[in-house]
Tab-separated table of all heavy atoms in Angstrom:
chain	number	residue	atom	x	y	z
N	4	GLU	N	0.830	-1.211	0.000
N	4	GLU	CA	0.000	0.000	0.000
N	4	GLU	C	0.863	1.260	0.000
N	4	GLU	O	0.600	2.212	-0.762
N	4	GLU	CB	-0.913	-0.012	1.235
N	4	GLU	CG	-1.831	1.196	1.342
N	4	GLU	CD	-2.672	1.175	2.609
N	4	GLU	OE1	-2.651	0.160	3.335
N	4	GLU	OE2	-3.350	2.191	2.869
N	5	ILE	N	1.904	1.272	0.828
N	5	ILE	CA	2.788	2.439	0.914
N	5	ILE	C	3.512	2.658	-0.405
N	5	ILE	O	3.633	3.793	-0.890
N	5	ILE	CB	3.806	2.249	2.057
N	5	ILE	CG1	3.088	2.200	3.407
N	5	ILE	CG2	4.836	3.380	2.054
N	5	ILE	CD1	3.943	1.665	4.531
N	6	ASN	N	4.005	1.572	-0.994
N	6	ASN	CA	4.720	1.681	-2.263
N	6	ASN	C	3.813	2.262	-3.348
N	6	ASN	O	4.228	3.120	-4.131
N	6	ASN	CB	5.233	0.316	-2.693
N	6	ASN	CG	6.278	0.404	-3.786
N	6	ASN	OD1	7.474	0.338	-3.519
N	6	ASN	ND2	5.845	0.551	-5.035
N	7	PHE	N	2.562	1.812	-3.374
N	7	PHE	CA	1.620	2.303	-4.384
N	7	PHE	C	1.379	3.809	-4.211
N	7	PHE	O	1.364	4.561	-5.191
N	7	PHE	CB	0.300	1.543	-4.282
N	7	PHE	CG	-0.687	1.913	-5.350
N	7	PHE	CD1	-0.555	1.425	-6.635
N	7	PHE	CD2	-1.743	2.766	-5.063
N	7	PHE	CE1	-1.457	1.770	-7.628
N	7	PHE	CE2	-2.650	3.125	-6.044
N	7	PHE	CZ	-2.514	2.620	-7.330
N	8	ILE	N	1.217	4.250	-2.962
N	8	ILE	CA	1.021	5.683	-2.701
N	8	ILE	C	2.242	6.473	-3.145
N	8	ILE	O	2.138	7.521	-3.796
N	8	ILE	CB	0.746	5.931	-1.203
N	8	ILE	CG1	-0.552	5.241	-0.775
N	8	ILE	CG2	0.671	7.427	-0.906
N	8	ILE	CD1	-0.782	5.252	0.726
N	9	TYR	N	3.421	5.961	-2.810
N	9	TYR	CA	4.667	6.658	-3.136
N	9	TYR	C	4.865	6.780	-4.646
N	9	TYR	O	5.300	7.827	-5.140
N	9	TYR	CB	5.836	5.904	-2.504
N	9	TYR	CG	7.177	6.574	-2.653
N	9	TYR	CD1	7.461	7.766	-1.990
N	9	TYR	CD2	8.179	6.012	-3.455
N	9	TYR	CE1	8.695	8.374	-2.117
N	9	TYR	CE2	9.411	6.616	-3.583
N	9	TYR	CZ	9.672	7.793	-2.916
N	9	TYR	OH	10.904	8.399	-3.048
N	10	MET	N	4.529	5.724	-5.377
N	10	MET	CA	4.759	5.741	-6.817
N	10	MET	C	3.832	6.700	-7.547
N	10	MET	O	4.110	7.095	-8.681
N	10	MET	CB	4.592	4.331	-7.393
N	10	MET	CG	5.632	3.324	-6.917
N	10	MET	SD	7.345	3.899	-7.075
N	10	MET	CE	7.500	4.046	-8.853
N	11	ILE	N	2.742	7.105	-6.896
N	11	ILE	CA	1.856	8.106	-7.505
N	11	ILE	C	2.624	9.400	-7.784
N	11	ILE	O	2.357	10.102	-8.768
N	11	ILE	CB	0.641	8.375	-6.590
N	11	ILE	CG1	-0.275	7.134	-6.562
N	11	ILE	CG2	-0.143	9.601	-7.051
N	11	ILE	CD1	-1.426	7.247	-5.588
N	12	PHE	N	3.607	9.695	-6.933
N	12	PHE	CA	4.366	10.939	-7.080
N	12	PHE	C	5.384	10.866	-8.219
N	12	PHE	O	6.063	11.856	-8.497
N	12	PHE	CB	5.053	11.283	-5.749
N	12	PHE	CG	4.078	11.645	-4.670
N	12	PHE	CD1	3.542	10.673	-3.847
N	12	PHE	CD2	3.668	12.951	-4.493
N	12	PHE	CE1	2.622	10.988	-2.851
N	12	PHE	CE2	2.751	13.287	-3.509
N	12	PHE	CZ	2.220	12.305	-2.689
N	13	PHE	N	5.498	9.706	-8.874
N	13	PHE	CA	6.343	9.580	-10.062
N	13	PHE	C	5.550	9.811	-11.345
N	13	PHE	O	6.133	9.799	-12.436
N	13	PHE	CB	6.991	8.188	-10.105
N	13	PHE	CG	8.157	8.034	-9.182
N	13	PHE	CD1	7.968	7.820	-7.827
N	13	PHE	CD2	9.461	8.118	-9.654
N	13	PHE	CE1	9.039	7.667	-6.967
N	13	PHE	CE2	10.550	7.978	-8.802
N	13	PHE	CZ	10.339	7.748	-7.452
N	14	LEU	N	4.244	10.023	-11.217
N	14	LEU	CA	3.412	10.222	-12.407
N	14	LEU	C	3.847	11.408	-13.267
N	14	LEU	O	3.755	11.335	-14.505
N	14	LEU	CB	1.944	10.369	-12.000
N	14	LEU	CG	1.264	9.089	-11.512
N	14	LEU	CD1	-0.177	9.371	-11.101
N	14	LEU	CD2	1.296	8.009	-12.592
N	15	PRO	N	4.321	12.541	-12.663
N	15	PRO	CA	4.779	13.636	-13.543
N	15	PRO	C	5.852	13.207	-14.540
N	15	PRO	O	5.872	13.705	-15.672
N	15	PRO	CB	5.329	14.662	-12.536
N	15	PRO	CG	4.531	14.439	-11.295
N	15	PRO	CD	4.313	12.946	-11.249
N	16	LEU	N	6.717	12.268	-14.144
N	16	LEU	CA	7.736	11.787	-15.079
N	16	LEU	C	7.102	10.977	-16.203
N	16	LEU	O	7.539	11.060	-17.362
N	16	LEU	CB	8.772	10.937	-14.338
N	16	LEU	CG	9.633	11.659	-13.295
N	16	LEU	CD1	10.640	10.697	-12.694
N	16	LEU	CD2	10.351	12.865	-13.902
N	17	LEU	N	6.077	10.188	-15.880
N	17	LEU	CA	5.403	9.393	-16.910
N	17	LEU	C	4.628	10.274	-17.880
N	17	LEU	O	4.482	9.948	-19.059
N	17	LEU	CB	4.458	8.372	-16.257
N	17	LEU	CG	5.117	7.264	-15.443
N	17	LEU	CD1	4.062	6.334	-14.868
N	17	LEU	CD2	6.111	6.475	-16.289
N	18	PHE	N	4.128	11.402	-17.376
N	18	PHE	CA	3.340	12.300	-18.232
N	18	PHE	C	4.217	13.023	-19.265
N	18	PHE	O	3.691	13.652	-20.188
N	18	PHE	CB	2.607	13.340	-17.384
N	18	PHE	CG	1.453	12.759	-16.599
N	18	PHE	CD1	1.048	13.343	-15.407
N	18	PHE	CD2	0.788	11.636	-17.046
N	18	PHE	CE1	-0.018	12.815	-14.680
N	18	PHE	CE2	-0.260	11.096	-16.335
N	18	PHE	CZ	-0.671	11.689	-15.154
N	19	ILE	N	5.534	12.947	-19.102
N	19	ILE	CA	6.421	13.597	-20.073
N	19	ILE	C	6.248	12.995	-21.465
N	19	ILE	O	6.218	13.715	-22.470
N	19	ILE	CB	7.893	13.480	-19.610
N	19	ILE	CG1	8.117	14.330	-18.363
N	19	ILE	CG2	8.840	13.928	-20.723
N	19	ILE	CD1	9.507	14.187	-17.775
N	20	PHE	N	6.100	11.675	-21.532
N	20	PHE	CA	5.989	11.007	-22.839
N	20	PHE	C	4.717	11.406	-23.584
N	20	PHE	O	4.771	11.726	-24.784
N	20	PHE	CB	6.079	9.495	-22.648
N	20	PHE	CG	7.377	9.050	-22.021
N	20	PHE	CD1	7.428	8.710	-20.675
N	20	PHE	CD2	8.539	9.014	-22.767
N	20	PHE	CE1	8.624	8.311	-20.097
N	20	PHE	CE2	9.735	8.621	-22.204
N	20	PHE	CZ	9.783	8.274	-20.856
N	21	PRO	N	3.545	11.430	-22.919
N	21	PRO	CA	2.357	11.938	-23.621
N	21	PRO	C	2.498	13.399	-24.020
N	21	PRO	O	2.004	13.805	-25.092
N	21	PRO	CB	1.232	11.763	-22.595
N	21	PRO	CG	1.712	10.681	-21.683
N	21	PRO	CD	3.193	10.857	-21.605
N	22	ALA	N	3.192	14.193	-23.175
N	22	ALA	CA	3.370	15.613	-23.503
N	22	ALA	C	4.232	15.775	-24.752
N	22	ALA	O	3.928	16.597	-25.633
N	22	ALA	CB	4.007	16.343	-22.323
N	23	LEU	N	5.302	14.987	-24.843
N	23	LEU	CA	6.167	15.059	-26.030
N	23	LEU	C	5.416	14.619	-27.283
N	23	LEU	O	5.610	15.171	-28.371
N	23	LEU	CB	7.410	14.194	-25.820
N	23	LEU	CG	8.405	14.678	-24.765
N	23	LEU	CD1	9.520	13.657	-24.576
N	23	LEU	CD2	8.982	16.040	-25.149
N	24	SER	N	4.562	13.614	-27.112
N	24	SER	CA	3.770	13.138	-28.252
N	24	SER	C	2.730	14.173	-28.663
N	24	SER	O	2.490	14.386	-29.865
N	24	SER	CB	3.090	11.818	-27.885
N	24	SER	OG	2.268	11.365	-28.935
N	25	LEU	N	2.123	14.815	-27.669
N	25	LEU	CA	1.077	15.804	-27.948
N	25	LEU	C	1.633	17.024	-28.679
N	25	LEU	O	0.996	17.576	-29.587
N	25	LEU	CB	0.412	16.224	-26.635
N	25	LEU	CG	-0.704	17.262	-26.723
N	25	LEU	CD1	-1.893	16.702	-27.512
N	25	LEU	CD2	-1.162	17.677	-25.316
N	26	PHE	N	2.844	17.448	-28.264
N	26	PHE	CA	3.446	18.654	-28.858
N	26	PHE	C	4.628	18.308	-29.768
N	26	PHE	O	5.608	19.051	-29.826
N	26	PHE	CB	3.927	19.595	-27.741
N	26	PHE	CG	2.844	20.066	-26.822
N	26	PHE	CD1	2.798	19.638	-25.501
N	26	PHE	CD2	1.853	20.931	-27.273
N	26	PHE	CE1	1.803	20.074	-24.644
N	26	PHE	CE2	0.853	21.373	-26.415
N	26	PHE	CZ	0.821	20.934	-25.096
N	27	LYS	N	4.523	17.180	-30.470
N	27	LYS	CA	5.652	16.731	-31.294
N	27	LYS	C	5.977	17.707	-32.423
N	27	LYS	O	7.106	17.741	-32.923
N	27	LYS	CB	5.370	15.338	-31.854
N	27	LYS	CG	4.135	15.247	-32.738
N	27	LYS	CD	3.919	13.811	-33.190
N	27	LYS	CE	2.661	13.680	-34.052
N	27	LYS	NZ	2.441	12.273	-34.478
N	28	ASN	N	5.009	18.504	-32.836
N	28	ASN	CA	5.252	19.489	-33.900
N	28	ASN	C	5.517	20.882	-33.353
N	28	ASN	O	5.644	21.837	-34.115
N	28	ASN	CB	4.054	19.534	-34.854
N	28	ASN	CG	3.852	18.206	-35.570
N	28	ASN	OD1	4.824	17.529	-35.925
N	28	ASN	ND2	2.596	17.824	-35.770
N	29	HIS	N	5.584	20.995	-32.011
N	29	HIS	CA	5.834	22.298	-31.385
N	29	HIS	C	6.966	22.109	-30.367
N	29	HIS	O	6.731	21.731	-29.220
N	29	HIS	CB	4.576	22.833	-30.695
N	29	HIS	CG	3.407	22.993	-31.615
N	29	HIS	ND1	2.586	21.941	-31.964
N	29	HIS	CD2	2.936	24.094	-32.278
N	29	HIS	CE1	1.638	22.382	-32.779
N	29	HIS	NE2	1.834	23.677	-32.992
N	30	TYR	N	8.191	22.355	-30.814
N	30	TYR	CA	9.386	22.059	-30.008
N	30	TYR	C	9.360	22.784	-28.660
N	30	TYR	O	9.573	22.174	-27.599
N	30	TYR	CB	10.630	22.447	-30.791
N	30	TYR	CG	11.908	22.272	-29.996
N	30	TYR	CD1	12.485	21.012	-29.838
N	30	TYR	CD2	12.524	23.374	-29.401
N	30	TYR	CE1	13.652	20.853	-29.102
N	30	TYR	CE2	13.691	23.224	-28.668
N	30	TYR	CZ	14.249	21.959	-28.515
N	30	TYR	OH	15.394	21.808	-27.777
């Protein structure tokens, strides 16, 4: 349970990939 809560705070790093894909034509 603790590990799952802690890993939630790593989500901003995971969101980088969708952000790069979303703005792939806007450097």
Side-chain angles (χ1 to χ4, degrees):
E4 180 183 353
I5 295 165
N6 195 99
F7 184 77
I8 297 171
Y9 185 68
M10 294 310 295
I11 291 174
F12 293 89
F13 282 79
L14 288 178
L16 295 182
L17 293 180
F18 288 153
I19 291 175
F20 300 102
L23 292 175
S24 177
L25 180 64
F26 300 111
K27 60 182 178 181
N28 297 323
H29 302 82
Y30 176 79

